[in-house]
């Protein structure tokens, strides 16, 4: 027993010594992300250092969830977990490094979007998500900022901190998942048992955002979120969504009329709107699945998805400018 | 040797220097140029490089099939320089703003020109190549950033051109409509005038004067009616960027033009590409629910029916039972529990046994 433990510790030390953190690149809810180097190969990596959790055992459930999930999922559109090691009391996840995300691209106004670009991003997102769902993993935090983009144009779903293994009703799930703007109506109504539909709703919002270049349903409180949603898509009726009034936090809302999507998305072709609409169906049981979405005519119809190498890239600062910015930041801090 | 040089120059494009196939005897023959700027016919390329990289029959440089391409310029030396410039510009893509002073920038351009000249004329090839590689290594990040910038800019430029084209077309159409409308109105006026002259008892002069005033007014009205359509797609930066939908339609139109070469892609396109499902799971990543190959193959696991006579030892997974209305409204399906339990049990059959 002792020898196994020793062996594991030695292995951990060896892994830890192989990585160097270069600088901080991002900070999330429970982690700091660094740009790092694998010394043995000189490969650029991202190191996600999980902040010490509130739990007595020192480790947050979400961290464990992320490790377990990523170890199980391997797919070109899911971020690759290369290694895991402990240092002091921190858990470090070594991930492949991706330099930009979909949020940066959406906000970068020097970039024009062609319909084929949107189609390819949607395709990659759905492929990754379909893989998660087929392995009984809900992501639960789909948003442009968690869809990372590699230099080759490949999109990878990242940030599995809120993901969970489900299909097992032993444990109840929490309704406090998914960044508000992308949160499905059943979650806003406090559902504790839900399905793959929560991720699909989020993807629907991302799809709309790609078409609009602006967030589709930006509510600033949960209440306002519902109001924004119902204004845009009409207030659901019992026929639209059976038993919705049984959900814990259901509240009666003003009856907004249903307006066709084409009034807002004026020139989007019918296949685009049809797919979007089927992702934004109130009743989660009727909402399209990732697999069905992939088989939707939208992906077969023209225009074709833009080839990977022609997808627009987020233009980073040149090395000189970046260095100066970091210097200025360090002075300010 | 002397004769062979003579033939290559004399018949340059008509005889394959490798197999001596003659174009007059074989009109289908197509010559291609390798990176060493030696030509040979497609048959020879197929034959020589069928089993991977092989030496060029003329200069012994190692070549691959994919590095051969069709000659764009008749003069091989022009072809060579164009190709070299293209290769150079993919590395030497610095811009004015990447330099402190204009002089630095000019010096850089001169250096690039020097290197290009040396390559094209095969002077100090080794040292020149080393210098280029050194530059590429030192500027790796900047080269990538500028390549990205170029990509985005050329996309933007294509966009602008397309919008300009469309705008001109709209203007042309509007103008033609205006002309046609004017012509129709004139004809109508004439008809009315003739009728009035024929039936009215007013003097011809006063009728003509009244008519003229009306027709002038009409023309100017028509002009303002047509106007808005022609100026709707203004080319200022912001409207260009926010106008995604407009582009969507445009793109469809562009697409229709490329219909033919698109067909091929359409046939081979598969959104649920199995390659994506078939990711090899490394040792230590084997998990019973993750047998992708089984998934990709569409393998399904039917429940044993009681009629098959086998006593089912299946243990009901936790939570599978009655499903409340609340759970249903939330999108939870009763099937989840079953499906998962069955998959868990069966996919494990495909897991390779762990070595102890
Ligand atoms: N693999 C990666 N490569 C590059 N940057 C990353 C990577 N993973 C995360 N980041 C950056 O760090 C930020 C926070 O990471 P994330 O995984 O979303 O953490 P959290 O779960 O705390 O939100 C991201 O928004 C992104 O900018
Ligand atoms: Mg995040
Ligand atoms: Zn030949
Ligand atoms: Zn040669």
């Amino acid at each position: 027993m002792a020898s196994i433990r020793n062996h594991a510790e030695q292995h951990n030390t060896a892994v830890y010594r192989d990585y160097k953190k270069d600088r901080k690149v991002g900070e999330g809810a429970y982690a700091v992300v660094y740009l790092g180097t694998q010394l043995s190969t000189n490969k650029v990596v991202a190191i996600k250092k999980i902040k010490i959790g509130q739990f007595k055992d020192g480790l947050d459930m979400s961290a464990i969830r992320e490790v377990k999930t990523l170890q199980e999922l391997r797919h070109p559109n899911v971020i690759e977990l290369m290694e895991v090691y402990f240092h002091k009391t921190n858990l470090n996840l070594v991930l492949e490094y991706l330099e930009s995300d979909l949020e940066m691209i959406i906000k970068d106004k020097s970039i024009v979007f062609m319909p084929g670009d949107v189609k390819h991003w949607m395709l990659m997102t759905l492929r990754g998500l379909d893989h998660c769902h087929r392995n009984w993993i809900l992501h639960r935090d789909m948003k442009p900022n968690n869809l990372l983009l590699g230099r080759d144009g490949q999109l990878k779903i990242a940030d599995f901190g809120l993901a969970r293994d489900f299909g097992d009703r032993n444990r109840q799930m929490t309704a406090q998942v998914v960044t508000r703007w992308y949160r499905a109506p059943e979650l806003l109504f406090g559902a504790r048992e839900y399905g793959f539909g929560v991720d699909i709703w989020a993807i629907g919002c991302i799809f709309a955002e790609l078409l609009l270049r602006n967030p589709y349903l930006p509510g600033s409180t949960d209440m306002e979120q519902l109001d924004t949603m119902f204004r845009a898509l009409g207030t659901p009726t019992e026929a639209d969504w059976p038993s919705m009034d049984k959900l814990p936090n259901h509240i009666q809302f003003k009856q907004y009329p249903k307006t066709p999507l084409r009034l807002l998305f004026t020139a989007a072709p019918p296949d685009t709107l049809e797919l979007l609409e089927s992702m934004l169906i109130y009743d989660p049981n009727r909402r399209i699945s990732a697999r069905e979405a992939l088989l939707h005519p939208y992906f077969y119809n023209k225009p074709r998805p833009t080839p990977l190498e022609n997808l627009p890239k987020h233009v980073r600062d040149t090395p000189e400018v970046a260095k100066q910015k970091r210097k200025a930041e360090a002075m300010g801090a | 040797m002397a004769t062979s040089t003579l033939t290559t120059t004399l018949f340059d494009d008509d005889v394959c220097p490798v197999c001596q196939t003659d174009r007059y005897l074989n009109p289908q023959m197509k010559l291609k140029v390798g990176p060493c700027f030696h030509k040979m016919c497609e048959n020879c390329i197929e034959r020589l490089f069928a089993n991977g990289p092989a030496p060029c029959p003329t200069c012994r440089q190692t070549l691959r099939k994919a590095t051969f391409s069709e000659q764009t310029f008749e003069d091989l030396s022009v072809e060579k320089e164009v190709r070299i410039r293209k290769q150079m510009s993919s590395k030497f893509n610095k811009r004015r703003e990447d330099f402190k002073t204009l002089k630095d920038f000019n010096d850089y351009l001169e250096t690039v020109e020097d290197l290009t000249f040396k390559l094209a004329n095969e002077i100090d090839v080794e040292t020149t190549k080393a210098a280029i590689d050194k530059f590429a290594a030192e500027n790796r990040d900047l080269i990538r950033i500028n390549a990205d910038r170029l990509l985005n800019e050329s996309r933007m430029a294509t966009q602008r051109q397309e919008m300009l084209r469309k705008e001109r077309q709209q203007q042309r159409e509007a103008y033609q409509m205006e002309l046609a409308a004017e012509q129709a109105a004139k004809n109508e006026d004439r008809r009315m005038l003739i009728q009035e002259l024929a039936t009215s008892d007013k003097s011809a002069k006063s009728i003509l004067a009244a008519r003229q005033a009306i027709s002038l007014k009409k023309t100017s009205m028509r002009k303002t009616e047509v106007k808005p359509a022609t100026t709707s797609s203004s080319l200022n930066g912001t409207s260009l960027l926010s106008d995604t939908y407009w582009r969507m339609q445009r793109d469809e139109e562009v697409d229709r033009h490329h219909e033919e070469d698109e067909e091929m892609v359409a046939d081979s396109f598969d959104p649920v590409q199995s390659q994506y499902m078939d990711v090899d799971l490394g040792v230590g990543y084997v998990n019973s629910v993750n047998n992708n190959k089984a998934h990709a193959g569409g393998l399904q696991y039917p429940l044993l029916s009681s009629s098959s006579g086998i006593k089912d030892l299946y243990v009901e997974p936790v939570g599978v039972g009655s499903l409340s209305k609340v759970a249903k409204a939330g999108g939870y399906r009763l099937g989840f529990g079953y499906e998962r339990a069955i998959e868990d049990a069966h996919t494990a059959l495909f897991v390779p046994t762990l070595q102890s």
Side-chain angles (χ1 to χ4, degrees):
Chain A
M1 190 60 213
S3 83
I4 290 176
R5 188 172 171 165
N6 246 337
H7 183 76
E9 267 171 19
Q10 271 169 18
H11 177 73
N12 185 61
T13 314
V15 172
Y16 159 65
R17 290 222 175 108
D18 196 19
Y19 292 98
K20 179 167 80 67
K21 288 183 182 128
D22 296 325
R23 67 186 158 83
K24 192 168 133 181
V25 288
E27 186 154 7
Y30 75 107
V32 184
V33 180
Y34 298 88
L35 176 75
T37 319
Q38 182 174 28
L39 299 170
S40 59
T41 59
N42 219 12
K43 201 173 157 178
V44 177
V45 294
I47 302 175
K48 183 165 177 174
K49 186 174 91 183
I50 313 273
K51 292 171 188 168
I52 305 149
Q54 312 89 309
F55 289 79
K56 281 199 291 289
D57 359 325
L59 248 193
D60 201 304
M61 259 319 288
S62 47
I64 294 172
R65 225 180 250 148
E66 180 156 3
V67 171
K68 186 173 178 301
T69 307
L70 282 177
Q71 277 187 334
E72 290 174 3
L73 293 174
R74 288 276 196 104
H75 188 274
N77 300 119
V78 173
I79 191 148
E80 190 193 339
L81 176 64
M82 298 164 61
E83 220 133 28
V84 183
Y85 65 86
F86 276 95
H87 180 55
K88 292 177 188 157
T89 50
N90 297 325
L91 179 64
N92 293 271
L93 312 188
V94 182
L95 303 157
E96 57 182 321
Y97 179 76
L98 293 154
E99 47 190 60
S100 61
D101 59 56
L102 206 53
E103 187 184 3
M104 293 182 193
I105 299 271
I106 292 172
K107 287 186 174 162
D108 184 343
K109 298 299 178 199
S110 76
I111 294 174
V112 275
F113 283 10
M114 315 271 185
D117 305 342
V118 174
K119 191 171 287 186
H120 205 156
W121 287 321
M122 286 304 291
L123 183 67
M124 293 187 283
T125 309
L126 281 164
R127 276 177 172 160
L129 190 70
D130 178 45
H131 185 74
C132 297
H133 286 181
R134 278 146 46 94
N135 288 288
W136 302 97
I137 305 287
L138 296 187
H139 184 279
R140 305 199 304 172
D141 197 14
M142 296 293 281
K143 56 178 171 179
N145 163 273
N146 284 337
L147 301 176
L148 304 184
L149 294 165
R151 262 213 60 78
D152 55 356
Q154 197 70 259
L155 178 151
K156 303 204 180 226
I157 302 177
D159 197 353
F160 281 79
L162 282 171
R164 71 159 287 170
D165 196 11
F166 98 129
D168 176 350
R169 280 175 71 209
N170 253 342
R171 282 173 290 169
Q172 286 233 310
M173 299 184 261
T174 165
Q176 286 310 306
V177 299
V178 188
T179 311
R180 191 184 300 105
W181 298 348
Y182 308 92
R183 209 177 286 166
E186 63 268 32
L187 294 175
L188 290 164
F189 280 158
R192 306 222 136 235
E193 286 163 304
Y194 44 84
F196 301 123
V198 297
D199 288 338
I200 298 293
W201 181 277
I203 288 194
C205 296
I206 296 169
F207 193 9
E209 187 164 337
L210 285 170
L211 299 173
L212 296 169
R213 291 297 284 269
N214 271 314
Y216 178 46
L217 303 172
S220 50
T221 61
D222 284 4
M223 212 47 167
E224 208 192 286
Q225 187 63 36
L226 282 165
D227 192 68
T228 312
M229 186 185 292
F230 295 161
R231 261 178 215 277
L233 295 158
T235 311
T237 62
E238 174 69 20
D240 292 331
W241 186 1
S243 308
M244 70 171 164
D245 55 348
K246 305 283 187 304
L247 291 169
N249 304 342
H250 176 266
I251 23 164
Q252 206 60 48
F253 247 85
K254 181 170 182 286
Q255 196 65 43
Y256 292 111
K258 216 179 195 69
T259 42
L261 288 178
R262 78 187 135 72
L263 292 186
L264 180 58
F265 303 88
T266 39
D271 61 351
T272 309
L273 291 186
E274 208 205 72
L275 177 60
L276 178 61
E277 195 165 17
S278 54
M279 291 175 164
L280 298 175
I281 288 174
Y282 284 117
D283 182 354
N285 299 293
R286 290 183 215 164
R287 210 172 292 152
I288 200 166
S289 73
R291 175 44 66 101
E292 286 161 354
L294 282 169
L295 296 170
H296 192 276
Y298 170 69
F299 290 112
Y300 293 97
N301 290 348
K302 284 162 198 166
R304 295 270 150 249
T306 310
L308 272 189
E309 65 273 20
N310 296 345
L311 282 172
K313 305 279 183 321
H314 174 71
V315 177
R316 295 172 298 154
D317 289 332
T318 57
E320 202 47 50
V321 173
K323 211 188 284 171
Q324 275 163 20
K325 271 194 189 165
R326 280 202 295 280
K327 213 182 263 171
E329 212 171 83
M331 298 273 277
Chain B
M1 193 62 217
T3 31
S4 103
T5 322
L6 195 63
T7 21
T8 18
T9 36
L10 262 182
F11 299 105
D12 217 13
D13 261 351
D14 302 321
V15 176
C16 169
V18 179
C19 65
Q20 313 298 326
T21 298
D22 196 304
R23 186 182 304 286
Y24 296 106
L25 300 174
N26 182 2
Q28 264 87 54
M29 186 190 75
K30 214 187 229 168
L31 289 177
K32 286 189 166 180
V33 190
C36 57
F37 299 99
H38 290 123
K39 293 188 206 178
M40 62 186 86
C41 75
E42 280 181 321
N43 281 339
C44 283
I45 297 171
E46 281 300 326
R47 186 168 45 80
L48 291 170
F49 306 101
N51 300 318
C56 165
T58 316
C59 70
R60 305 268 119 211
Q61 189 176 323
T62 307
L63 307 173
R64 273 172 297 117
K65 194 168 117 184
T67 55
F68 280 85
S69 56
E70 264 170 69
Q71 195 175 339
T72 320
F73 298 95
E74 212 176 306
D75 186 341
L76 205 53
S77 65
V78 175
E79 177 82 27
K80 186 172 176 180
E81 185 167 343
V82 168
R83 284 199 196 180
I84 287 172
R85 285 196 181 278
K86 209 170 148 194
Q87 284 165 13
M88 291 289 281
S89 69
S90 70
K91 292 181 182 133
F92 292 87
N93 62 5
K94 284 199 188 185
R95 302 168 174 225
R96 168 65 188 93
E97 62 261 38
D98 297 329
F99 296 89
K100 283 212 179 70
T101 66
L102 182 63
K103 185 178 173 306
D104 290 347
F105 183 47
N106 282 333
D107 289 349
Y108 159 83
L109 290 179
E110 205 158 301
T111 315
V112 178
E113 207 45 49
D114 268 3
L115 293 170
T116 310
F117 180 81
K118 281 181 176 165
L119 271 192
N121 296 286
E122 291 172 35
I123 305 165
D124 299 337
V125 177
E126 288 315 308
T127 38
T128 309
K129 279 193 174 157
I132 294 170
D133 289 345
K134 183 162 168 273
F135 172 87
E138 279 168 359
N139 294 280
R140 211 189 65 199
D141 279 356
L142 188 57
I143 291 171
R144 281 180 169 183
I145 290 167
N146 279 338
D148 290 347
R149 250 200 276 188
L150 196 68
L151 173 77
N152 290 350
E153 282 165 2
S154 74
R155 286 167 53 98
M156 182 73 90
T158 318
Q159 201 59 42
R160 272 174 196 274
Q161 250 169 30
E162 192 50 41
M163 291 185 80
L164 265 173
R165 192 191 62 77
K166 189 103 176 185
E167 186 161 2
R168 283 207 203 97
Q169 188 185 331
Q170 273 183 355
Q171 275 171 354
R172 206 161 42 236
E173 276 165 14
Y175 177 66
Q176 269 156 5
M177 263 167 59
E178 200 177 303
L179 276 185
E182 216 157 276
Q183 192 57 48
K186 262 188 198 148
N187 292 346
E188 176 66 8
D189 278 351
R190 263 167 78 128
R191 200 185 55 77
M192 300 258 289
L193 178 61
I194 290 165
Q195 198 173 15
E196 202 172 351
L197 284 170
T199 54
S200 166
D201 47 7
K202 284 187 203 145
S203 83
K205 202 176 169 190
S206 70
I207 291 174
L208 276 175
R211 276 274 137 206
Q212 217 151 31
I214 295 168
S215 104
L216 254 178
K217 217 170 166 183
K218 272 191 189 162
T219 316
S220 67
M221 264 168 65
R222 268 198 306 277
K223 278 202 174 121
T224 48
E225 270 165 32
V226 183
K227 270 246 170 67
T230 66
T231 50
S232 64
S233 64
S234 81
L235 264 175
N236 75 64
T238 43
S239 86
L240 179 83
L241 288 166
S242 56
D243 208 356
T244 310
Y245 309 115
W246 195 86
R247 279 195 298 279
M248 292 213 141
Q249 284 182 330
R250 178 203 63 93
D251 237 57
E252 266 199 339
E253 245 178 51
V254 172
D255 236 75
R256 249 175 266 130
H257 297 170
H258 300 303
E259 200 95 31
E260 288 126 44
D261 49 86
E262 285 277 327
E263 284 317 319
M264 271 171 50
V265 192
D267 291 338
S268 60
F269 182 71
D270 179 11
V272 287
Q273 237 169 37
S274 60
Q275 159 211 334
Y276 280 84
M277 306 306 157
D278 220 16
V279 182
D280 229 3
L281 299 168
V283 181
Y285 284 98
V286 189
N287 177 284
S288 62
V289 280
N290 283 306
N291 197 311
N292 297 294
K293 285 183 182 149
H295 273 309
L299 199 57
Q300 293 205 346
Y301 314 102
L303 263 174
L304 287 177
S305 70
S306 54
S307 63
S308 66
I310 302 167
K311 190 163 186 305
D312 196 354
L313 292 176
Y314 175 68
V315 180
E316 197 165 295
V318 186
V320 175
S322 63
L323 190 66
S324 69
K325 268 192 172 164
V326 192
K328 190 152 187 293
Y332 194 89
R333 275 194 298 111
L334 193 60
F336 289 153
Y338 283 118
E339 285 165 23
R340 175 150 197 186
I342 293 164
E343 269 193 44
D344 276 1
H346 287 71
T347 39
L349 294 175
F350 295 89
V351 176
T353 47
L354 281 170
Q355 238 98 82
S356 53

